[in-house]
């Protein structure tokens, strides 16, 4: 196994008061802390995730045995890689995609095959053509950083070609079609979900894994026995009980359409995203990032990642005043860039 450098998350620079670089959802009302503060054993007892597991199972219409609560979607992905990959396992994914896939695969010594997929139809034939006996497919849909999605027929073909398929659905709430039911009809498909995006609990690190019960049990053996704190579990349960995310999702999707149109109108090359962000390419990516930072707004660029040198990604805030500020600043920055070039 080759040694890897530690992953260093992008840091928020001083002066940023609107961070749209990390795809975090809007938080719930802080009164949710008061709702859980009196629960006995909240701080001094080891956590029990069965309550949240039951609520997730009800939300997704599966049995509790088909559900595993994890420390965010990252923990679920790491467990899947540890359980399903060994040295030399043929592991197929797309590129660009969530960068922890390559890292976790490398930790297991897997033989990673990356199929290009930045824009356009999902490359099902190329992924299937890369399969071999015992191969595992790791897919993110909607994809990060592009927002592209796969279809139910694509998923079925992958399930037939690979021994296992892991589908990371961190942004699935924002997609036109939720593939969770299709995924769970296949006994060799595992679905990852999170409460970090649509549910606004990124700071608590709460996610979950769904799949055929014996496969979920296998994956559950890899990882810590208490992955999520008792406080995080209590707040997550209250958040699911409230279930008030539909308006936020609707607002994000409306903002997504507006921002995509704005980018196209001002000469960028946006991709039709189905996530809570918009990905676009422009030769002025770093200029746009820097100019927005000067105005207190952070967006994501990808220096050092091959093929993404011209890319930027903007998270949609889901708050009208923040979005108006973003759009107004972008229009000024992009028009100034056009005038400079003309």
């Amino acid at each position: 196994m080759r040694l890897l450098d530690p992953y260093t998350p992008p840091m928020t620079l001083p002066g940023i008061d609107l961070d749209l670089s990390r795809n975090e959802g809007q938080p719930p009302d802080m009164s949710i802390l008061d709702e859980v503060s009196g629960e006995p054993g909240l701080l001094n007892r080891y956590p029990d995730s069965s309550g949240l597991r039951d609520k997730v199972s009800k939300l997704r219409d599966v049995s509790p045995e088909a559900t595993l609560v994890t420390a965010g979607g990252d923990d679920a992905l790491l467990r899947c890689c540890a359980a399903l990959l060994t040295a030399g396992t043929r592991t197929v994914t797309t590129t660009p995609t969530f960068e922890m896939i390559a890292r976790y695969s490398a930790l297991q010594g897997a033989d990673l095959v990356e199929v290009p997929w930045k824009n356009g139809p999902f490359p099902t034939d190329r992924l299937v053509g890369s399969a071999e006996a015992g191969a595992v497919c790791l897919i993110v849909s909607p994809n990060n950083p592009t927002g592209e999605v796969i279809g139910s027929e694509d998923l079925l073909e992958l399930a037939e070609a690979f021994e296992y398929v892991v589908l990371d659905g961190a942004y699935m709430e924002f997609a036109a079609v939720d593939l969770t039911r299709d995924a769970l009809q296949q006994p060799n498909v595992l679905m990852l979900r999170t409460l970090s995006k649509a549910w606004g609990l990124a700071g608590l690190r709460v996610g979950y894994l769904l799949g055929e019960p014996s496969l979920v049990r296998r994956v559950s053996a890899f990882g810590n026995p208490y992955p999520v704190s008792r406080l995080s579990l209590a707040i997550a349960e209250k958040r699911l009980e409230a279930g008030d995310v539909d308006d936020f999702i609707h607002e994000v999707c409306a903002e997504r359409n507006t921002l995509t149109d704005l980018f196209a109108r001002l000469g960028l090359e946006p991709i039709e995203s189905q996530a809570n962000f918009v990905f676009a390419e422009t030769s002025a990516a770093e200029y746009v990032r820097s100019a927005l930072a000067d105005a207190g707004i952070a967006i994501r660029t990808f220096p050092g990642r091959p093929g993404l040198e011209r890319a930027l990604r903007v998270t949609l805030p889901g708050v009208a005043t923040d979005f108006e500020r973003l759009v107004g600043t972008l229009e000024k920055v992009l028009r100034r860039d056009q005038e400079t070039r003309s």
Side-chain angles (χ1 to χ4, degrees):
M1 181 186 75
R2 66 183 180 89
L3 295 177
L4 298 176
D5 292 330
Y7 173 72
T8 304
M11 303 302 293
T12 301
L13 298 174
I16 297 296
D17 63 333
L18 180 56
D19 192 342
L20 304 179
S21 68
R22 296 189 289 191
N23 302 342
E24 299 150 327
Q26 285 296 313
D29 192 291
M30 293 302 288
S31 63
I32 197 170
L33 295 174
D34 297 328
E35 296 180 42
V36 304
S37 62
E39 293 192 11
L42 190 64
L43 301 181
N44 71 314
R45 296 295 182 186
Y46 285 116
D48 176 3
S49 62
S50 60
L52 181 59
R53 180 197 63 193
D54 291 345
K55 284 184 169 56
V56 167
S57 301
K58 184 176 180 180
L59 175 69
R60 299 302 171 199
D61 192 25
V62 298
S63 69
E65 293 75 23
T67 309
L68 175 67
V69 175
T70 60
D74 297 347
D75 179 40
L77 178 60
L78 179 59
R79 287 172 181 255
C80 288
C81 289
L84 306 179
L85 307 183
T86 58
T89 300
R90 170 65 63 91
T91 306
V92 182
T93 189
T94 59
T95 186
T97 193
F98 182 42
E99 58 192 294
M100 299 312 293
I101 286 178
R103 286 177 167 271
Y104 293 161
S105 298
L107 288 173
Q108 300 305 123
D111 175 20
L112 184 65
V113 176
E114 297 177 299
V115 174
W117 179 45
K118 184 186 290 184
N119 198 358
F122 184 71
T124 308
D125 291 344
R126 291 194 61 186
L127 271 81
V128 169
S130 299
E132 62 180 26
V136 176
C137 186
L138 305 175
I139 295 297
V140 182
S141 181
N143 190 30
N144 179 14
T146 64
E148 289 272 38
V149 296
I150 71 171
S152 57
E153 292 184 2
D154 301 313
L155 182 59
L156 177 59
E157 289 190 48
L158 295 178
E160 291 175 345
F162 289 88
E163 183 169 2
Y164 300 108
V165 176
V166 178
L167 177 59
D168 183 341
Y171 304 93
M172 194 66 73
E173 284 90 346
F174 303 99
V177 177
D178 189 330
L179 291 180
T180 303
R181 179 52 48 195
D182 295 296
L184 298 182
Q185 289 177 350
Q186 308 303 320
N188 63 333
V189 176
L190 289 163
M191 164 70 85
L192 316 184
R193 301 295 292 264
T194 183
L195 301 188
S196 295
K197 313 303 181 186
W199 298 87
L201 299 182
L204 298 185
R205 310 311 302 129
V206 184
Y208 55 94
L209 175 73
L210 303 171
E212 196 277 326
S214 65
L215 190 52
V216 170
R217 180 175 175 81
R218 172 180 171 182
V219 173
S220 70
F222 293 82
N224 296 319
Y226 303 111
V228 183
S229 74
R230 196 179 184 99
L231 177 60
S232 291
L233 291 168
I235 295 174
E237 285 192 48
K238 294 295 184 183
R239 187 72 173 118
L240 288 186
E241 287 172 6
D244 54 350
V245 297
D246 289 347
D247 288 346
F248 172 69
I249 293 170
H250 183 269
E251 181 68 22
V252 164
C253 292
E255 292 176 356
R256 189 173 66 199
N257 293 337
T258 300
L259 186 58
T260 301
D261 291 344
L262 174 66
F263 278 161
R265 178 162 49 86
L266 293 176
L268 279 71
E269 303 164 26
I271 289 177
E272 294 290 339
S273 170
Q274 291 198 36
N276 68 335
F277 53 79
V278 175
F279 174 97
E281 292 189 295
T282 170
S283 59
E286 281 301 323
Y287 164 76
V288 174
R289 182 204 60 77
S290 178
L292 288 176
D294 289 342
I297 302 173
I299 65 169
R300 183 74 185 274
T301 56
F302 304 89
R305 286 187 65 178
L308 296 180
E309 296 86 357
R310 301 175 64 250
L312 57 81
R313 189 193 67 196
V314 182
T315 302
L316 300 155
V319 176
T321 53
D322 289 341
F323 186 66
E324 289 170 6
R325 176 184 169 191
L326 169 67
V327 168
T329 307
L330 272 170
E331 286 182 325
K332 292 177 183 177
V333 167
L334 292 171
R335 286 204 172 99
R336 188 162 63 235
D337 178 62
Q338 287 179 335
E339 291 169 359
T340 301
R341 292 168 182 271
S342 61

